[in-house]
Amino acid sequence: MSRILTLLAALLLTTGAFADALSEGRAALERGRHSRALALLTEAAEDDVREAQFLVGKMYLDGEGVERDVPTALHWLEQAAAQRYRPANMLLGKIYASGMGVPMDAEKSTAYLKAAAEPKEPATVAEDDADCE
């Protein structure tokens, strides 16, 4: 029983650490501290925090604080999209529709935009919609 409690406590502390990395990374990004933001957000992204994956992908796509790197941007955006993160699906749809650093691909664009339009669970709709504004 004590082993289960220890594992549960470790899980809760770890989850909190990634939530902190996300919120601190967002704050650093808003302040223009791009190197700090990228380090914190990448830490969270590597642990499958979908918003962090989206933000890291967007930083690489826009060349915000890093050299523009479309393949790296697509990697992170696709990771977030695979977790049904609406802003990532929307952005990937736009990327493939316009050929923004990639060959235009109507089929991929349509698939990502359809995924973005799929109904979400109530808990995720509010947070996803806030990121789309």
Side-chain angles (χ1 to χ4, degrees), residues 1-127:
M1 181 68 162
S2 66
R3 185 170 187 206
I4 293 171
L5 291 175
T6 302
L7 289 172
L8 182 59
L11 177 63
L12 290 173
L13 289 173
T14 302
T15 303
F18 297 121
D20 289 344
L22 174 62
S23 61
E24 289 179 31
R26 255 195 260 121
L29 189 58
E30 289 171 9
R31 285 191 221 96
R33 298 185 61 215
H34 296 106
S35 295
R36 176 88 174 129
L38 185 62
L40 288 163
L41 292 170
T42 299
E43 176 185 338
E46 288 173 347
D47 284 298
D48 294 328
V49 177
R50 65 190 193 155
E51 182 182 351
Q53 292 168 334
F54 171 74
L55 292 171
V56 170
K58 196 155 175 1
M59 287 181 76
Y60 278 103
L61 183 67
D62 297 341
E64 190 173 3
V66 295
E67 188 171 328
R68 187 169 193 260
D69 183 341
V70 174
T72 301
L74 292 175
H75 165 78
W76 287 113
L77 293 170
E78 288 167 356
Q79 295 295 312
Q83 294 191 64
R84 298 176 47 150
Y85 193 59
R86 182 179 289 172
N89 281 296
M90 289 177 61
L91 183 54
L92 284 164
K94 290 177 187 177
I95 289 169
Y96 284 108
S98 66
M100 187 188 314
V102 299
M104 288 177 67
D105 189 327
E107 189 175 315
K108 279 187 178 180
S109 175
T110 301
Y112 281 117
L113 293 173
K114 280 184 179 179
E118 287 178 5
K120 305 287 187 252
E121 298 88 38
T124 63
V125 171
E127 71 183 48

